[in-house]
Amino acid sequence: MTDETETAVATPESHAPEAQDRLSPDFVRAILDLVESGDVEAVREKVEPLHPADIADLVELTPADQRQPLAAAISGLIDGEVLAEMNDWVRDALIDSLEPHELADIAAELDTDDAVAIIEDMEEADQRAVLRALDPDDRAAIEEALSYPEESAGRLMQRELIAVPEHWTVGDVLDYLRGEEQLATDFWEIFVVDPAHHPVGTCALSWILRTPRLVSIADVMKREQTLIPVDMDQEEVALIFQKYALISAAVTDDSGRLVGVITVDDIVHIISEEAGEDALLLSGAGDGDINEPIRDTYIARVRWLIANLFTALIASSIIALFGGAIEQMVALAVLMPIVASVGGNAGTQTMAIVVRALATNQLTQSNTVRMIRREILVALLNGGTIAVLLGLGAGLVFGNPALGGVIAAAMIINILVAGLAGVLVPVAFDRMDQDPAVASSVFVTMVTDSMGFLAFLGLAVASGLVGW
Amino acid sequence: MTDETETAVATPESHAPEAQDRLSPDFVRAILDLVESGDVEAVREKVEPLHPADIADLVELTPADQRQPLAAAISGLIDGEVLAEMNDWVRDALIDSLEPHELADIAAELDTDDAVAIIEDMEEADQRAVLRALDPDDRAAIEEALSYPEESAGRLMQRELIAVPEHWTVGDVLDYLRGEEQLATDFWEIFVVDPAHHPVGTCALSWILRTPRLVSIADVMKREQTLIPVDMDQEEVALIFQKYALISAAVTDDSGRLVGVITVDDIVHIISEEAGEDALLLSGAGDGDINEPIRDTYIARVRWLIANLFTALIASSIIALFGGAIEQMVALAVLMPIVASVGGNAGTQTMAIVVRALATNQLTQSNTVRMIRREILVALLNGGTIAVLLGLGAGLVFGNPALGGVIAAAMIINILVAGLAGVLVPVAFDRMDQDPAVASSVFVTMVTDSMGFLAFLGLAVASGLVGW
């Protein structure tokens, strides 16, 4: 791709960011009306000036049953860049309707990382068909990328990069860059390699631009660089990019050879996904995408609800133990859900903070004990406050100070237990190399529900407020 | 800053990413032991080779009461870059112990955006003292940045940027860049402006590097660019960077003049924060930082627990209405928390997905109705499944098929209500321009708790299973 084609953009004004950022409902409806009326010309005229990311959004915002006619009307406009921007589920459905050779054309024009993102989600047979239709170079690159584990640096990286030998001067680099017509897409730094293709340094383009031609590249480059092993998990990669504010980073294989480059624009999606998915995982909503097929959504969520049903049954069987006590004093049945509910909330607060701190490497073995002490202190303060409010209230409403005392004590106990469970459960999952966001919630809820009922009803009996 | 100083990095090898990414507990402990024994030399020797982000981490991982001695031992090593990387709370405490002129020295060496990030959190009096100690140029830049609203593009942007006139050639640009010793830090694109300093185009450095000297910059630049208004909210800025995979973007004032540039490395933190904070907000944990002072944590969380206490009281008063029914059949008290708990979970699942979809602009007015229909369908499937399991189980255990039927019906009703509340509550907050993550949880829980008890106990009475 030459500079001329890259810059042959005709639109003279920039879009207003508001319009760029969110397609208005009116705009979407107008396009769908045109699609329905069969006015392909008018549809293409409206869609053509859009940014690929906006075309992808347009398809996502279109109801599933109208996507096929829309895609047909704007065929050719849905290129690799649009597909790369598209929601996985929507893309998969669209890809199913394309022929392998059409897909191969699309994949061939993309960087390896984007091509891999599209191909990796396809079914085995379709994958093979597309790979067969690619030219041998592209196929080899994509097959190699697919040989790395899912969600690893090897899948994320693009193989297109600029690597130059250490003995070159800045002038050599400039001449090389000006001479090569076939250089891939935009790049932000060049890598300096030794004869065995091991990276020895990195050079931001701004440094090259500011340096006279005769200076050796070895004098401009920075030797200290962050190397990403090809099998590193993408979440780890994202944390490194974030921590060291990287724009791009070299990827090396087991023998330390430079095999690819990861750029921050690919990482931004992962940072957002990884950070955002914790809220979904904690709620038991799985991947929680609004474009996911209903069947997948149902399976993901119902499994969680069934798990929750079992924890509720445990809490319920604790209540059953105290059936006699409840018969004697119905107020116990009225008040007991409060103890469980507020305790559950306190546990969720702590858990959310701990899961986030673990995900961002803020909570490590160095400060776990400090964290536990901190949460105990917060729990005592919170528990004390709620206990006073609830104890006084219950004592007054039911005209029974002993009942107030029992519920106050139960409240403190449950919030304290909630705080401990909120730290210990996710930390334990993390130590066992399990994602703490996935299963912590079930366990913490089980603890706070059961303990809420047990502490309240148990204290009521133990204090002699009611008989067993 | 010249190239020579930028590249005068002596360390020949790159750090292993594992070591870079997380300071080992042994390393932290070894340093703190050295601090305690007063061996300042040894401490500095160990800390000096660390990346600024790692020095910041080291301070964060140090217990609060040992941070002051550590900071004293490595004074001088805690420079602006280290402070910019540091957790807000830890930084504030550290800054309180520094003199204004020391802070001014640190702020002067930073880009405007980093200096602003440090100064904006300080108290009014300290802020004024630091500003007075700065030289007039830096002061003007920082004061202007502080005049923009908090969390706006104006606070994020750096004013250091490269802007060139349209009539220049690539050669002119190269000569200019090589001639200026005072150019700020790294940059990734240059901006082309008209005589009124309005941006007319942007040019990635890689395009300049690949173009012969005589070509006009106007022929290389891309005219279509994403402009960020200076008062745009940072969350919106982050979404735009993410959507269009930007490395940097021009910031313009009300009259369309180029006033600054935002680069992706500043955005990466915001993307992560904004995406991650939803889990914290939904749980009612506030900002939820593990370094927050206990007092702030207590206030943030107890407010939420008190809100939760009131919603629990509403649910509780519904139970009280059915006191007579519970006295007749204690099984109702045993089973009722299950209906509320599973319903609450179902509501939380939907709510988490909707909040995330709203935050990422996936859920707009164009597809809200579709989303509601989708959630009703999922709720019917989930509700049906849980109802069958729970209905059969309860019917068998209590030997009472009518009881099983009542709890099954209540379960379907509550999961359906939960699904609707899970969509409508956050969407309503969003339409009212309120952050849906902040308050949705309280309302959804109130609905699912109350409806759980009301449906179950109400149906038990209405079906004649028990008397009123």
Side-chain angles (χ1 to χ4, degrees):
Chain A
M1 193 183 302
T2 64
D3 293 323
E4 285 66 35
T5 60
E6 281 232 56
T7 55
V9 175
T11 326
E13 325 85 356
S14 16
H15 302 114
E18 300 75 37
Q20 288 177 320
D21 190 45
R22 199 190 283 231
L23 300 173
S24 79
D26 292 341
F27 181 81
V28 175
R29 208 169 306 119
I31 291 198
L32 295 183
D33 287 348
L34 287 172
V35 170
E36 212 165 331
S37 70
D39 190 349
V40 173
E41 273 307 294
V43 173
R44 297 181 69 90
E45 198 173 302
K46 273 180 177 294
V47 175
E48 200 146 17
L50 295 180
H51 186 284
D54 285 315
I55 300 182
D57 271 9
L58 173 65
V59 177
E60 286 173 30
L61 288 172
T62 303
D65 53 339
Q66 291 171 262
R67 275 178 201 152
Q68 209 49 57
L70 171 69
I74 59 173
S75 73
L77 296 179
I78 301 188
D79 59 7
E81 274 189 83
V82 173
L83 284 180
E85 292 288 339
M86 204 175 283
N87 175 281
D88 290 358
W89 299 107
V90 178
R91 185 174 63 205
D92 287 355
L94 207 62
I95 279 178
D96 283 346
S97 68
L98 294 175
E99 294 295 316
H101 72 91
E102 292 179 285
L103 274 173
D105 287 349
I106 288 173
E109 54 174 77
L110 291 172
D111 287 337
T112 7
D113 56 336
D114 289 331
V116 167
I118 292 175
I119 292 176
E120 69 181 353
D121 289 337
M122 295 171 54
E123 279 172 33
E124 193 87 11
D126 296 336
Q127 224 177 57
R128 267 201 301 269
V130 172
L131 285 173
R132 260 199 308 272
L134 281 171
D135 77 57
D137 277 0
D138 289 337
R139 188 190 323 155
I142 290 173
E143 278 178 339
E144 197 195 312
L146 289 174
S147 73
Y148 297 116
E150 271 185 58
E151 309 213 326
S152 71
R155 294 275 180 118
L156 279 178
M157 72 185 186
Q158 62 186 68
R159 294 158 54 96
E160 296 83 2
L161 56 82
I162 314 288
V164 302
E166 215 171 340
H167 61 80
W168 277 18
T169 63
V170 167
D172 292 335
V173 174
L174 285 177
D175 294 341
Y176 167 72
L177 292 176
R178 287 185 187 149
E180 284 286 318
E181 292 280 302
Q182 288 303 314
L183 291 180
T185 46
D186 304 340
F187 51 93
W188 311 100
E189 59 182 334
I190 64 166
F191 299 98
V192 183
V193 290
D194 67 13
H197 216 71
H198 294 139
V200 293
T202 169
C203 200
L205 298 190
S206 58
W207 308 343
I208 298 179
L209 279 172
R210 282 154 56 182
T211 306
R213 288 185 67 95
L214 291 177
V215 175
S216 159
I217 200 78
D219 292 336
V220 190
M221 73 183 186
K222 192 174 69 162
R223 289 185 185 273
E224 199 173 47
Q225 58 177 322
T226 307
L227 301 178
I228 310 277
V230 74
D231 54 0
M232 181 181 266
D233 184 79
Q234 64 176 24
E235 193 169 359
E236 200 79 5
V237 176
L239 284 173
I240 289 180
F241 263 76
Q242 209 177 327
K243 179 164 182 182
Y244 299 112
L246 302 177
I247 299 294
S248 64
V251 181
T252 53
D253 66 11
D254 292 344
S255 59
R257 287 164 46 89
L258 177 66
V259 290
V261 57
I262 296 179
T263 51
V264 68
D265 53 313
D266 301 313
I267 291 299
V268 157
H269 288 102
I270 290 164
I271 292 173
S272 163
E273 265 170 40
E274 299 279 352
E277 81 180 5
D278 280 356
L280 298 174
L281 290 173
L282 281 172
S283 77
D287 284 338
D289 190 283
I290 64 172
N291 292 296
E292 195 181 36
I294 296 273
R295 201 187 120 86
D296 296 35
T297 303
Y298 164 63
I299 292 171
R301 293 205 216 164
V302 83
R303 281 196 342 225
W304 188 265
L305 294 179
I306 291 173
N308 180 236
L309 181 59
F310 277 97
T311 65
L313 287 177
I314 295 172
S316 180
S317 59
I318 289 176
I319 302 173
L321 291 178
F322 295 93
I326 291 172
E327 264 173 332
Q328 290 167 54
M329 189 187 273
V330 165
L332 296 180
V334 172
L335 293 174
M336 65 186 186
I338 300 176
V339 182
S341 169
V342 178
N345 250 270
T348 305
Q349 289 179 335
T350 303
M351 181 177 63
I353 288 168
V354 169
V355 166
R356 182 85 188 122
L358 287 169
T360 53
N361 278 353
Q362 278 198 292
L363 181 58
T364 69
Q365 291 197 29
S366 306
N367 57 359
T368 304
V369 173
R370 181 147 50 98
M371 180 77 184
I372 293 172
R373 255 191 261 127
R374 186 188 140 83
E375 285 300 321
I376 291 177
L377 188 54
V378 173
L380 287 175
L381 289 168
N382 282 338
T385 309
I386 301 292
V388 168
L389 290 174
L390 185 56
L392 283 177
L396 285 172
V397 169
F398 291 92
N400 186 340
L403 182 62
V406 163
I407 200 166
M411 203 67 252
I412 292 184
I413 292 173
N414 203 26
I415 289 183
L416 198 56
V417 167
L420 284 174
V423 181
L424 296 178
V425 170
V427 166
F429 277 116
D430 187 58
R431 293 281 157 87
M432 292 184 292
D433 274 329
Q434 301 295 313
D435 183 347
V438 173
S440 295
S441 217
V442 169
F443 284 87
V444 171
T445 308
M446 183 174 76
V447 170
T448 56
D449 271 5
S450 307
M451 187 49 71
F453 297 130
L454 182 63
F456 179 52
L457 299 174
L459 282 176
V461 170
S463 68
L465 185 66
V466 289
W468 179 261
Chain B
M1 191 185 305
T2 64
D3 294 324
E4 284 66 34
T5 61
E6 281 231 56
T7 55
V9 175
T11 325
E13 327 84 358
S14 16
H15 303 114
E18 298 75 39
Q20 288 177 322
D21 190 46
R22 198 190 285 231
L23 299 173
S24 79
D26 291 341
F27 182 81
V28 175
R29 208 169 307 119
I31 291 196
L32 294 183
D33 287 348
L34 287 172
V35 170
E36 211 165 332
S37 70
D39 190 348
V40 173
E41 271 309 293
V43 173
R44 296 182 70 90
E45 198 172 304
K46 272 179 177 296
V47 174
E48 201 146 16
L50 295 180
H51 187 284
D54 285 315
I55 300 182
D57 271 10
L58 172 65
V59 177
E60 287 173 28
L61 288 172
T62 303
D65 53 338
Q66 291 173 264
R67 276 179 200 151
Q68 209 49 57
L70 171 68
I74 59 173
S75 73
L77 297 179
I78 301 188
D79 59 7
E81 275 190 82
V82 173
L83 283 180
E85 293 287 340
M86 205 175 281
N87 176 281
D88 289 0
W89 297 108
V90 177
R91 185 174 64 204
D92 288 354
L94 208 61
I95 280 177
D96 283 346
S97 68
L98 295 174
E99 295 295 317
H101 72 91
E102 291 178 284
L103 274 173
D105 287 349
I106 288 174
E109 54 174 78
L110 290 172
D111 286 338
T112 6
D113 56 335
D114 290 331
V116 167
I118 291 176
I119 292 176
E120 69 182 353
D121 289 337
M122 296 172 55
E123 279 172 33
E124 193 85 13
D126 297 337
Q127 225 177 58
R128 267 201 302 271
V130 172
L131 286 173
R132 259 198 310 274
L134 280 171
D135 76 55
D137 277 1
D138 289 338
R139 187 191 324 156
I142 290 174
E143 278 178 340
E144 197 194 313
L146 289 174
S147 73
Y148 297 116
E150 272 185 58
E151 311 213 324
S152 71
R155 295 275 179 118
L156 280 179
M157 73 185 186
Q158 62 186 65
R159 294 159 54 97
E160 297 84 1
L161 56 82
I162 315 287
V164 301
E166 214 171 340
H167 61 80
W168 277 19
T169 63
V170 168
D172 293 334
V173 174
L174 286 177
D175 294 341
Y176 168 71
L177 292 177
R178 286 184 188 150
E180 284 285 318
E181 293 278 302
Q182 289 302 315
L183 292 180
T185 46
D186 303 340
F187 51 93
W188 310 102
E189 60 182 333
I190 65 166
F191 299 98
V192 184
V193 290
D194 68 12
H197 217 71
H198 294 140
V200 293
T202 169
C203 201
L205 299 190
S206 58
W207 309 342
I208 298 179
L209 279 173
R210 281 154 56 182
T211 307
R213 287 184 67 95
L214 291 177
V215 175
S216 160
I217 200 78
D219 291 336
V220 189
M221 73 184 185
K222 193 175 69 163
R223 288 185 185 273
E224 201 173 47
Q225 58 176 324
T226 307
L227 300 178
I228 310 277
V230 74
D231 54 359
M232 180 180 267
D233 185 80
Q234 63 176 25
E235 193 169 357
E236 200 79 6
V237 176
L239 284 172
I240 289 180
F241 263 77
Q242 209 177 325
K243 178 164 183 183
Y244 299 113
L246 302 177
I247 299 293
S248 64
V251 181
T252 53
D253 65 13
D254 293 346
S255 60
R257 286 165 46 89
L258 177 66
V259 290
V261 57
I262 296 180
T263 50
V264 67
D265 53 315
D266 301 314
I267 292 298
V268 156
H269 287 103
I270 291 163
I271 292 174
S272 163
E273 266 170 41
E274 298 280 353
E277 81 180 5
D278 280 355
L280 298 174
L281 290 173
L282 282 172
S283 78
D287 284 338
D289 189 283
I290 63 172
N291 293 296
E292 195 180 37
I294 295 273
R295 204 187 118 86
D296 297 33
T297 303
Y298 164 63
I299 292 171
R301 294 207 216 162
V302 84
R303 281 195 343 225
W304 187 266
L305 294 180
I306 290 172
N308 180 237
L309 180 59
F310 277 96
T311 65
L313 288 175
I314 295 171
S316 179
S317 59
I318 289 176
I319 302 173
L321 289 179
F322 296 94
I326 291 171
E327 265 174 334
Q328 290 165 53
M329 189 187 274
V330 166
L332 296 180
V334 172
L335 293 174
M336 65 185 187
I338 299 176
V339 181
S341 168
V342 178
N345 250 271
T348 305
Q349 288 178 336
T350 303
M351 181 179 62
I353 288 168
V354 169
V355 166
R356 182 86 187 123
L358 287 170
T360 54
N361 278 352
Q362 278 197 290
L363 181 58
T364 69
Q365 291 196 29
S366 307
N367 57 358
T368 304
V369 173
R370 181 145 52 98
M371 181 77 184
I372 293 172
R373 254 191 262 126
R374 185 187 142 83
E375 285 300 320
I376 292 176
L377 188 54
V378 174
L380 287 174
L381 288 168
N382 282 338
T385 309
I386 301 292
V388 168
L389 290 175
L390 184 55
L392 283 177
L396 285 172
V397 169
F398 290 92
N400 186 339
L403 182 62
V406 164
I407 200 167
M411 203 68 252
I412 291 183
I413 292 173
N414 203 26
I415 289 182
L416 198 55
V417 167
L420 284 174
V423 181
L424 295 177
V425 170
V427 166
F429 277 115
D430 187 56
R431 293 280 157 89
M432 293 184 291
D433 273 329
Q434 300 296 311
D435 183 346
V438 173
S440 295
S441 216
V442 169
F443 285 87
V444 172
T445 307
M446 185 174 75
V447 170
T448 54
D449 271 6
S450 306
M451 187 48 71
F453 296 131
L454 184 62
F456 179 52
L457 299 173
L459 282 176
V461 171
S463 68
L465 186 65
V466 288
W468 178 261

